[in-house]
Structures are given as structure tokens and as C-alpha cells.
Amino acid sequence: MKNQDIPERLLNDQHMDSLSSFRMYQHTLDRTIDTHWHQFYELALVLSGTGIHSINGAPLRMGRGHVFLLTPADFHRIDPDPGQTLRLYNLIFTERMISDKLAGHLFERSNAYHCEYGQEEFTEAEREFERILSESAEWREHGDIIVQGCIERLLVDLSRSCPPSEKEEAVLPVHPSIRKALVYLQHHFRSPLLLEDVARLAGLSANYFSESFAKQTGLTFQAYVRDMRLQFAKSLVSATDLPITEICYASGFNTLAYFERAFKTRYRVSPGNLRRLEADLAGTVGV
DNA sequence: GGTGACAGAAAAGTAACTTG
DNA sequence: CAAGTTACTTTTCTGTCACC
């Protein structure tokens, strides 16, 4: 797979240069932002306006106080209501901006975070976002430490405000190295991955890593990564009309043949057929 | 709890093809 | 022309074992 074959939109974002680990925006949206995803984390707070926010294909109402955190494993789409302008703080950052401890805690859950802030929480969050804005507007000494503090406070508040639902109370590997690897995988599962590299990152030998990983997650390393990619691909198949080929590469697969094979083995149906089946179903139900 | 060697197993890629 | 299949090859992983 050569780079020139990958559709432009799937290559990683121009939004963040390699030097900085975060970027802060104040967005004003009056038109649809079509389905997209990032290599980094995205935290946002809606200041005003209303619309529909679809996270991984699931639509949610959004308005003032709506807050969400997306990981690189999520994709989303924003449709402002007709005549409405959405204003929001938008912060993107890489895992370098947060401590291992916080990353491990936040991203052990499977779903994206989203909830509605009350006035008090809203004011708190607004203050942190404002501080990040002012720190990034002009460089001052140790600005990075301030920003990191703001981001970490925002994230802790968010996790307190939207506790995980019962059903997703995942049992997590206790082994700190494996936890670290899982956080890394969540961030990088769409990129080429070698067990050896992830093992090194986790600080274990390849063999022992492979063994411990399987023991703690119940899946082998390869199966785990493949499942993450397939899950992402399946959501895209269902929620978008992107071509299957594009979804294949976007999900981290390098060949269409293998992708089709793996998809069919896992879901008993080829990607294209799944899309047609779901379209038919939606048609008969009248959605 | 952990490493390193190693063989066999499984995954992933290639290429050529069919289908609609 | 994109999607899907298949036989075949190459690469990578996993399980086992000896050892610390």
C-alpha cells in the first residue's frame, strides 16, 4: 500500500503539526461537518446553538452545555439545526498531553464520553478552556504545564460527570504494561502495528508480552487489533456511505482482499452486503 | 516475573480472477 | 469499475521450553 493510493481525507490531519501536542479552537458552525475522525483526542464544549451530533453513527441532540470527548477510535458528524449556528470550544490533543495514569483511567472504557453540563460544571469548564486559549495565544514560560493542567482537570471533571454505564464496566488488565499497551492501541490501531514495537513500548519482551496480553485480555494481540479494526470498519459501513475500499484502508487494513475475508469471517456477511441488508431493513421499517 | 531461542501456526499480503 | 473470491507466498505471532 503506497501513500498516494490512500484517499487524501484519510491521511492524518493538517490540524496539528508534529511539534505541538494540542491545539485549541473556537468554532462557529452553521453547516454540516461531514463524517470524519482523527489520530488524536478531541474534547469539545458547546457554548450555544443546537444541532445533531452523531458519534459512531448514533445521533444525539446537542446544545449549550453538551460536552464530548472522542478518541481516535471514534468518528463523528455534526449537523447544526436549520438556521442555527453552533459555537463551541474545541480542543484536540495527543496522549502526550496527559499522564499515563489518567490515560489508563479514561480510555479503559469502550464508549466515547458525552454528557450535558449543568451551569456550575459549565462555568468550571469554560474557565479552563479560556485559560488554554489565553496560554496558547501568546507563549509564556511553562505555558505547556498550565495547559496540561487545564486539560487534565477538564478530563477528570468529565469522567466524574459521565460515569460509565453498568454494562460497560470493563474488567481491565491489572498488568500496568498491558494497560499501557491498550491505551496505545486505542490511539494507533489504524496504523501499521508490530507486536514487537508495542511490546517494547510496554517495556516487555515480545514473547512475554504476547503471552501476558493474551492471558489478560482473553484475545491474542493480533486478534485484538484485528477486532478493533473490524469494529471501526463495521461502524463506518453502517453509518456512512463511504466506499468499502476507502473504509478498508481507513480502518488499518492494507489489502482489500484480506479485509473482505476477515470481515466476512467475523460478521458472516461481506461489508457491501451488510450495508445493503441494513438499508433494506431501514426501508421496510420506514426509518 | 521475567528473558531468549525456536518451530509450528496463523495472519496478512499478492496476484489473478469472477461478479454485478 | 468497485466489490468480492481464491490459491498461493511471505511475514508475523504464539506457545513451549530451558534458563535466570
Side-chain angles (χ1 to χ4, degrees), chain A residues 11-285:
Chain A
L11 286 171
N12 261 308
D13 311 53
Q14 308 76 21
H15 299 104
M16 191 147 40
D17 52 73
S18 51
L19 293 170
S20 59
S21 298
F22 79 97
R23 185 156 289 185
M24 170 92 201
Y25 300 95
Q26 260 185 303
H27 279 143
T28 305
L29 312 174
D30 52 12
R31 273 178 300 169
T32 291
I33 307 295
D34 213 346
T35 305
H36 67 286
W37 51 91
H38 310 280
Q39 187 94 324
F40 38 72
Y41 298 109
E42 177 173 10
L43 176 66
L45 174 69
V46 178
L47 298 170
S48 65
T50 58
I52 300 287
H53 186 199
S54 304
I55 304 177
N56 300 326
L60 300 157
R61 295 254 9 125
M62 74 192 298
R64 180 181 164 86
H66 179 86
V67 58
F68 62 87
L69 171 66
L70 301 180
T71 75
D74 302 308
F75 59 90
H76 65 150
R77 169 194 171 104
I78 298 177
D79 297 282
D81 287 335
Q84 283 283 327
T85 299
L86 282 163
R87 284 180 48 246
L88 43 91
Y89 286 129
N90 192 267
L91 173 70
I92 59 181
F93 60 97
T94 71
E95 82 270 34
R96 286 195 308 229
M97 283 310 287
I98 55 180
S99 65
D100 283 356
K101 183 182 169 195
L102 182 57
H105 170 69
L106 280 176
F107 304 117
E108 59 193 28
R109 60 189 272 182
S110 45
N111 294 355
Y113 285 80
H114 61 85
C115 58
E116 211 70 38
Y117 272 179
Q119 188 52 48
E120 202 171 310
E121 297 159 305
F122 182 91
T123 312
E124 274 302 318
E126 194 176 25
R127 185 181 314 156
E128 302 292 352
F129 278 116
E130 278 302 330
R131 183 73 196 264
I132 296 171
L133 266 183
S134 71
E135 285 295 330
S136 46
E138 62 165 314
W139 175 251
R140 284 178 289 170
E141 203 180 358
H142 303 316
D144 51 340
I145 298 178
I146 297 281
V147 170
Q148 180 167 2
C150 292
I151 295 180
E152 294 202 333
R153 281 195 296 277
L154 280 165
L155 294 176
V156 170
D157 281 343
L158 179 67
S159 107
R160 285 177 177 170
S161 297
C162 21
S165 61
E166 259 114 87
K167 92 174 220 279
E168 59 168 336
E169 245 180 275
V171 185
L172 270 141
V174 266
H175 198 306
S177 302
I178 303 299
R179 289 175 74 110
K180 192 170 179 184
L182 290 179
V183 171
Y184 181 83
L185 288 183
Q186 185 166 36
H187 203 139
H188 297 276
F189 74 96
R190 290 192 301 257
S191 321
L193 285 171
L194 285 181
L195 175 139
E196 199 181 338
D197 297 337
V198 183
R200 195 179 311 119
L201 186 119
L204 297 174
S205 69
N207 269 348
Y208 187 59
F209 174 78
S210 167
E211 199 178 330
S212 309
F213 190 96
K215 208 174 279 174
Q216 306 232 353
T217 63
L219 284 173
T220 62
F221 173 77
Q222 275 183 321
Y224 187 93
V225 172
R226 189 196 52 218
D227 280 4
M228 274 189 101
R229 289 173 173 167
L230 284 174
Q231 235 169 64
F232 184 77
K234 181 166 180 269
S235 304
L236 280 180
V237 167
S238 303
T240 72
D241 52 7
L242 290 175
I244 303 301
T245 311
E246 202 170 312
I247 292 176
C248 159
Y249 299 131
S251 308
F253 293 94
N254 291 319
T255 59
L256 185 62
Y258 175 66
F259 169 64
E260 302 266 8
R261 193 194 301 158
F263 196 98
K264 192 157 186 179
T265 306
R266 178 84 162 73
Y267 300 115
R268 307 301 204 133
V269 57
S270 65
N273 276 334
L274 175 71
R275 181 175 277 166
R276 280 185 284 277
L277 279 172
E278 290 183 340
D280 288 350
L281 206 63
T284 47
V285 175

